Amino acid sequence: MRSLDNPQILREIIMDHYEHPRNRGLIDDDSYQQANMNSDTCIDDLDIQVKFNGNQIEDVRYDGEACAICTSSTSIMSELVIGKTKEEAMNIVENYMNMIYEKDYDEELLEEAIAFKNTHKQANRIKCATLGWNGLVKLIKESEE
């Protein structure tokens, strides 16, 4: 694992996903479930799409206007959960939220999402760092209904 206590490396991960977002761009396909997520405290306004294949997350897409923190955290989230089961994805989300809110979490599970481990120091950025993740949770829960 890279030196994840180095603020410069954490910043580089965030900027890489902001400048080169993965899985960005919506797909016009009815097999995707979609949710709009927006923030009243920032410019963040994202549409999140998830394609489920039974219990598995086959694809995650997103697009919209979002700050660097929101864009990069959603990009990393999409990479982490594609190919995972809903349960595995929810476990990753739970660990991510625990990290954001300074609770115990599994660093290995979060991979590049660890770049957001200091978000709690800027409370106004928590919504930015969790918007896409909350959209995923919403769509997983809707798919279970």
Side-chain angles (χ1 to χ4, degrees), residues 3-142:
S3 174
L4 295 173
D5 290 322
N6 181 333
Q8 183 59 36
I9 290 176
L10 300 180
R11 250 192 314 277
E12 284 172 11
I13 292 170
I14 291 169
M15 289 314 296
D16 177 49
H17 280 269
Y18 178 60
E19 292 167 359
H20 311 283
R22 309 338 181 243
N23 304 304
R24 185 161 195 163
L26 301 178
I27 295 185
D28 187 14
D29 180 340
D30 290 341
S31 65
Y32 283 77
Q33 287 180 239
Q34 186 165 322
N36 175 264
M37 303 297 289
N38 57 50
S39 171
D40 43 14
T41 57
C42 190
I43 63 163
D44 301 335
D45 186 354
L46 284 182
D47 288 311
I48 312 284
Q49 289 182 320
V50 180
K51 183 175 185 175
F52 297 103
N53 183 356
N55 194 35
Q56 191 162 23
I57 295 172
E58 195 169 293
D59 196 16
V60 176
R61 310 291 305 176
Y62 62 95
D63 208 357
E65 192 172 1
C67 68
I69 299 295
C70 185
T71 299
S72 57
S73 72
T74 304
S75 173
I76 290 170
M77 176 274 294
S78 71
E79 285 199 309
L80 281 174
V81 302
I82 290 173
K84 301 281 193 297
T85 65
K86 293 175 188 177
E87 291 78 16
E88 290 168 330
M90 290 299 282
N91 186 34
I92 292 168
V93 171
E94 183 183 346
N95 275 274
Y96 180 77
M97 295 300 180
N98 284 350
M99 176 187 71
I100 295 289
Y101 292 106
E102 296 184 271
K103 298 176 185 159
D104 290 337
Y105 64 94
D106 181 349
E107 207 172 85
E108 294 291 308
L109 205 56
L110 294 180
E111 298 177 26
E112 285 189 318
I114 205 80
F116 297 94
K117 71 180 187 175
N118 295 319
T119 302
H120 64 87
K121 294 177 183 171
Q122 294 176 285
N124 59 325
R125 304 305 261 159
I126 289 175
K127 185 143 190 181
C128 306
T130 58
L131 196 73
W133 297 74
N134 287 326
L136 172 70
V137 169
K138 181 179 185 201
L139 290 169
I140 289 174
K141 286 182 175 168
E142 285 176 4

